[in-house]
Amino acid sequence: MTKTETLFYNFNLFDGRTSENETDAWFVVDENGQLKDRGTGHHQNFENEVNLGGRYVMPGFINVHCHITSHPDKFDGGFNVSETEAAVFGYQSLQQLLKSGVTFVRELGTSYDVDIKLKRLMKAGQLNHVPELQPSGRAFSMTGGHGDAPHAAFLVDSPDEMRKSVRQGLKNGAEVIKMMATGGVMTPGDFMADPQLSVEEMRTGVVEAHHKGRRAAAHAEGNPGIQNALDAGVDSIEHGFYVNEQEARQMVQQGTYLTPTLVAELVIPKYGHGVLPEWEIKKAADALDDTYKNLSKAFELGVKFTCGTDAGTPFNGFDKTPAEFELLTKLGMTPAQAYQCSSLNSAELCQINEDHGTLEVGKFADFQVLDADPLQDPKAVQQGDKEVYLHGHREF
Ligand SMILES: [Zn+2]
């Protein structure tokens, strides 16, 4: 029993692995911020004790798809800003993510490699109230492709260019590689059904990422781009709105994850009228019904879903992660299954599942404290004044 260990007690625990709460739970967090012991009912006494007053404890969220330098209220994607502005905005975005309960962020496309640079500052202990971060740096797109904007993308037009650029990105400090397999919602004249990077180009990116032990993700909203990305062997399909049965089966077989980013798609037709161009709203609205049908089917077929919100896209702020879970339940998931997209699947996708994701002994004490039971109602996680703990320290 040392001074730096803390006992948390008197709460209901959803650990992110099981589908039920443990009542009258307690755990001990050690000096490294990791769970040392856990149980229910009777416990030892400690010098540092926190009584959580019968509330609900669950893991902090892992959001695997964010753009911390993209401004949700500036509809050019925030690309026309200086590096200084992007960096300050990125820092604030991270703080907002943590406040909303996100304790680990995977970036998937950042201007000026701001995420890589912020991570260096984080490691040096120079940033406060920020979640852990897996940076991607710039994304990889074809000339004229999705996200082709100054400082935001490597433009590659052959497997050789992909090889060179991915090697450069990894050298710069990228810990995950993001490639554009299709067009998308946000760029005019750029549609979800447009195939963009070729199978060969993406396969080269996957190979180079895997050689360094890193994962490769593909932005793929429609077909045939989803199929192309799967044939290239990517580790996750991002968005996947038009995933079909054959592709879903291939994903199950290959162990490919799917990040549906439902909240990103929902907010555009909801808030966009009068603000965004009508073509953009129409593209998003047209896709909504199909999306829920296709993704429900993919979930039924056994595809592993992750939690990502595409934060930074229009109206899609850095406080929206909690809203994603209510939408995941609309795909046929129970609330526990929806949270497991984050606690289990997102942790595996980010290769951090050994010490992150669930609240089990040996893992980091990254958790949130809620007034209402999240397993009864997925809206419980949307509580604005929730408590958020990172490595056992209260951050918000
Ligand atoms: Zn995105």
Side-chain angles (χ1 to χ4, degrees):
M1 198 191 307
T2 70
K3 249 187 162 175
T4 46
E5 289 179 349
T6 306
L7 169 79
F8 293 86
Y9 69 102
N10 187 21
F11 55 89
N12 302 288
L13 174 66
F14 168 61
D15 68 6
R17 178 171 295 283
T18 60
S19 52
E20 274 162 37
N21 287 317
E22 277 183 1
T23 54
D24 194 15
W26 56 265
F27 52 59
V28 178
V29 180
D30 69 15
E31 62 278 9
N32 301 318
Q34 284 164 313
L35 294 178
K36 193 187 170 191
D37 199 5
R38 187 187 123 173
T40 56
H42 179 75
H43 54 78
Q44 254 187 290
N45 286 327
F46 284 75
E47 203 174 313
N48 295 324
E49 294 189 343
V50 181
N51 181 348
L52 292 176
R55 287 177 293 164
Y56 295 84
V57 168
M58 69 179 290
F61 299 129
I62 299 170
N63 188 329
V64 301
H65 192 139
C66 292
H67 302 282
I68 57 168
T69 54
S70 297
H71 203 304
D73 305 323
K74 285 186 184 153
F75 307 119
D76 58 357
F79 291 128
N80 299 315
V81 298
S82 68
E83 177 168 356
T84 305
E85 291 165 297
V88 171
F89 186 77
Y91 183 19
Q92 292 168 340
S93 303
L94 287 169
Q95 291 177 324
Q96 266 189 291
L97 281 157
L98 182 60
K99 187 174 193 305
S100 76
V102 176
T103 49
F104 192 99
V105 171
R106 183 177 79 158
E107 265 292 288
L108 278 187
T110 313
S111 300
Y112 303 100
D113 290 345
V114 155
D115 53 348
I116 293 171
K117 296 162 189 170
L118 288 177
K119 176 142 185 188
R120 271 187 226 134
L121 293 173
M122 260 180 211
K123 277 185 169 165
Q126 291 177 278
L127 303 185
N128 296 316
H129 305 301
V130 290
E132 288 193 71
L133 176 64
Q134 184 168 92
S136 66
R138 288 178 279 165
F140 299 81
S141 191
M142 66 173 202
T143 297
H146 192 63
D148 174 351
H151 320 294
F154 284 97
L155 298 180
V156 295
D157 295 295
S158 70
D160 284 345
E161 287 186 11
M162 181 65 89
R163 185 175 297 110
K164 176 108 181 155
S165 303
V166 168
R167 287 176 180 177
Q168 185 63 52
L170 292 166
K171 180 181 171 185
N172 292 351
E175 296 177 18
V176 56
I177 295 303
K178 164 79 176 297
M179 299 182 287
M180 303 300 190
T182 71
V185 177
M186 279 179 50
T187 319
D190 178 41
F191 297 94
M192 299 186 209
D194 297 350
Q196 295 198 344
L197 289 170
S198 70
V199 176
E200 280 312 312
E201 287 163 345
M202 287 189 279
R203 186 177 287 143
T204 304
V206 169
V207 166
E208 292 300 325
H210 288 180
H211 282 173
K212 289 292 276 181
R214 301 301 187 187
R215 296 289 179 110
H219 163 102
E221 297 187 4
N223 283 306
I226 296 173
Q227 185 66 57
N228 290 346
L230 290 174
D231 292 344
V234 301
D235 302 295
S236 68
I237 295 289
E238 304 297 317
H239 316 300
F241 300 145
Y242 286 91
V243 63
N244 62 36
E245 282 193 43
Q246 182 198 317
E247 289 161 344
R249 291 205 164 85
Q250 190 174 344
M251 292 180 79
V252 172
Q253 204 180 10
Q254 294 182 186
T256 319
Y257 295 88
L258 196 156
T259 313
T261 65
L262 296 170
V263 72
E265 203 193 15
L266 181 78
V267 290
I268 291 177
K270 199 168 169 187
Y271 302 111
H273 292 286
V275 187
L276 290 177
E278 282 301 314
W279 60 259
E280 184 170 341
I281 297 166
K282 189 169 183 311
K283 277 206 276 186
D286 286 352
L288 264 182
D289 288 350
D290 293 339
T291 293
Y292 282 80
K293 206 164 52 188
N294 299 336
L295 293 173
S296 299
K297 186 74 198 171
F299 176 66
E300 196 187 304
L301 290 170
V303 174
K304 282 188 180 180
F305 281 63
T306 48
C307 161
T309 61
D310 212 5
T313 53
F315 310 105
N316 186 10
F318 299 90
D319 57 350
K320 292 274 191 293
T321 313
E324 183 73 8
F325 298 95
E326 190 186 349
L327 302 176
L328 286 169
T329 63
K330 294 186 176 160
L331 302 181
M333 297 183 196
T334 63
Q337 286 172 324
Y339 305 130
Q340 284 160 1
C341 293
S342 167
S343 61
L344 293 175
N345 299 349
S346 294
E348 280 172 14
L349 173 60
C350 296
Q351 301 176 295
I352 55 167
N353 50 314
E354 239 172 60
D355 46 15
H356 292 79
T358 57
L359 292 171
E360 294 174 286
V361 171
K363 298 199 187 190
F364 285 111
D366 297 342
F367 62 95
Q368 30 190 334
V369 186
L370 306 166
D371 294 340
D373 184 355
L375 297 183
Q376 292 303 315
D377 182 359
K379 283 198 185 74
V381 299
Q382 297 171 22
Q383 183 186 331
D385 60 351
K386 63 170 72 165
E387 290 177 14
V388 183
Y389 289 77
L390 191 66
H391 297 194
H393 290 283
R394 185 166 170 192
E395 299 282 342
F396 287 101

